[in-house]
Amino acid sequence: MREWYSPHNRSDANDNRPPMPRPRVRATRHAPAMKVLFATPEARPLVKTGGLADVSAALPAALCAIGLDCRLLLPGYSAVLAGALDLQERAWLYDLPGFGAVRLLQGRMPDSGVPLYVIDYPYHYQREGGPYQDAHGRDYPDNAWRFALLSRIAALLSSPASPLDWRPDLLHCNDWQTGLAPAYLHFAGRPVPALMTVHNLAYQGIFPPDLVTALGLPAESFSIDGVEYYGNFSFLKAGLYYADWISTVSPSYAEEIQRAPLGMGLEGLLAGRRERLTGILNGIDTADWNPSSDLHLPCSYSARALTGKRRCKLALQQDLNLDPLPQAPLAGVISRLTYQKGIDWILAVADRWVAAGGQLVILGKGEAHLEADCQAVAARHPGRIAAIVGYDEGLSHRVEAGADLFLMPSRFEPCGLNQMYSQRYGTVPVVHAVGGLKDTVEDGVTGFVFLEPSAEGLWQAMERALALWGDPDSWRRMMLAGMHKDFSWEASAQRYAWLYRMLVLTSGR
Ligand code: ADP
Ligand code: GLC
């Protein structure tokens, strides 16, 4: 289970800027706008453990910008109640078996102004720790109940029993925490179609079988043709099985998960539903991630005026006590520190990288042994390697800007965002040829892509990068090729809108 990165723990003063709502909901004059309820367990800047939060903020805003009426549904964690704009009571929900009276609030997202429903149920959501784990990194024992409630309310708001006068045409669910919603909708007669998006199949929401009926699903749903997963109850499998359509966050990952090992035990189901499985590449928030206007940076730069990038590098070296060497290739890493991300491969080649004249910055948080290993390698190479254990959004921007190359050797990567941020910042990515990494980095053109899943594979790509570094004109050409790529959400939002329309038209409801 993931670490929680509290938005209130960031060190950069810029993060305290007052929210600037920019409502992007556009009224269409002719047809009524398609209504979509986007159910998610996290959305930045309110609550974030990883890329799902970035996507949950940016995609609904992009959908509103192209004329859809997309609204978010989030659990009422303390940070959500504190950070959402204009929260007001909308309804009380009394008929949810197993739960007391639940209050539903309505407000808007900071930054985008996208409408937001919040489940105000302090008993489940207002806790000291993160969204999934306590302050000591242990999963909350009642996570099944907490996210069954999110799923329940997502389904309820999508059905005729909803207390709201706004009802969606389609329910868009994200990851295991919302996986029961398509099952609840199925057993309520499928009033609207449900799309289930998989951001990471490694997190499945597995719980004991006796919870199936306790959480309001019929006993017969506990079967291979239902929510059963190797003798247990899987929230994600429920979503994948009962949803009208499945999407994931890159075309390559959509292929990879139909086979072992990346199908993680669900490859049979996914291959069986392949006609209803689509990969739509994530975009990035190009306003937040723009080197020419990024307030986190000591100075701005662009493809036309690159000098500022050299100054960002020097400032980063000085801040992190690295030797201020302009000619040393500085590699950056910003990551959850987990097995998925191939951090151990980076650590295995770190000595060689330093011996070849390179520098390395690792910003990450996660598994304790990886945090300790990162700190140990930095201690061995003072002035050459810096390891910052923690979550720091401002620093993540400064690493993207100050580094020359970015290492992302993930064992698997559904999409990945940092390799796209890197290209936009003229920071050449070195990535493993999997999932979204493969789909967004062009080998030899905008970065280096390696095939062999090992530290050796990574090292060979880093050697290729070193060779190019020795030829400044070619290096600059690669930087500019990345900086000119379009990673904005617009095209992907259009693909989701098309998929929604197709599902609503073919659902016959
Ligand atoms: P994942 O969701 O698997 O963690 P992504 O690449 O999709 O991977 O998204 C990770 C997001 O979290 C990016 O926005 C990245 O910049 C951010 N991030 C990860 N670790 C840190 C950290 N230690 N400090 C700041 N930002 C981080
Ligand atoms: C997941 C994946 C990551 C993806 C993100 C947003 O956390 O690990 O690859 O970019 O979700 O979809």
Side-chain angles (χ1 to χ4, degrees), residues 98-392:
F99 301 97
V102 179
R103 195 160 75 123
L104 191 70
L105 309 174
Q106 185 175 354
R108 286 179 301 117
M109 286 294 287
D111 301 337
S112 67
V114 167
L116 162 73
Y117 294 107
V118 175
I119 305 168
D120 184 21
Y121 195 62
Y123 176 69
H124 273 341
Y125 298 134
Q126 288 190 37
R127 303 217 165 149
E128 283 297 306
Y132 318 126
Q133 297 179 326
D134 65 21
H136 305 287
R138 286 178 304 236
D139 287 0
Y140 295 121
D142 56 353
N143 271 345
W145 288 91
R146 299 173 69 237
F147 294 104
L149 182 62
L150 173 61
S151 301
R152 264 270 172 180
I153 292 180
L156 175 68
L157 299 184
S158 309
S159 77
S162 170
L164 304 180
D165 48 14
W166 183 90
R167 264 186 58 206
D169 300 308
L170 178 138
L171 173 62
H172 187 163
C173 300
N174 293 277
D175 274 357
W176 73 264
Q177 296 89 337
T178 57
L180 292 195
Y184 290 135
L185 271 189
H186 171 80
F187 292 107
R190 294 181 169 254
V192 295
L195 169 65
M196 182 78 225
T197 296
V198 182
H199 295 264
N200 195 334
L201 215 52
Y203 302 95
Q204 300 188 355
I206 309 281
F207 299 102
D210 53 321
L211 284 176
V212 172
T213 49
L215 293 177
L217 288 173
E220 63 271 21
S221 68
F222 188 69
S223 113
I224 186 156
D225 295 320
V227 304
E228 189 258 351
Y229 176 81
Y230 298 101
N232 277 313
F233 172 21
S234 162
F235 277 34
L236 183 62
K237 186 177 171 209
L240 299 178
Y241 185 80
Y242 290 108
D244 294 75
W245 204 273
I246 301 166
S247 76
T248 186
V249 289
S250 69
S252 287
Y253 193 60
E255 289 297 317
E256 291 164 359
I257 58 179
Q258 294 178 44
R259 298 182 300 275
L262 294 191
M264 305 208 172
L266 291 164
E267 57 273 7
L269 167 58
L270 290 162
R273 300 206 71 194
R274 66 181 167 279
E275 318 266 281
R276 290 176 169 266
L277 167 62
T278 310
I280 303 179
L281 206 56
N282 286 334
I284 61 172
D285 187 325
T286 48
D288 248 16
W289 290 93
N290 181 352
S292 63
S293 58
D294 187 333
L295 296 176
H296 295 292
L297 306 187
C299 64
S300 58
Y301 63 94
S302 66
R304 286 208 199 132
L306 277 171
T307 331
K309 185 163 170 68
R310 281 203 286 279
R311 288 175 42 206
C312 289
K313 175 174 177 178
L314 181 63
L316 185 68
Q317 287 169 320
Q318 284 166 341
D319 281 357
L320 301 179
N321 292 323
L322 294 173
D323 300 336
L325 304 169
Q327 77 282 11
L330 172 54
V333 177
I334 302 162
S335 186
R336 288 186 292 118
L337 300 181
T338 63
Y339 177 79
Q340 172 190 345
K341 302 292 181 178
I343 302 297
D344 48 324
W345 294 343
I346 296 173
L347 297 174
V349 303
D351 291 349
R352 277 186 267 176
W353 179 246
V354 170
Q359 294 183 329
L360 176 64
V361 176
I362 304 173
L363 167 62
K365 189 166 165 21
E367 290 167 17
H369 69 103
L370 288 173
E371 290 183 353
D373 290 351
C374 289
Q375 283 170 323
V377 80
R380 274 207 313 277
H381 296 288
R384 308 304 294 272
I385 300 185
I388 301 91
V389 169
Y391 180 85
D392 185 333

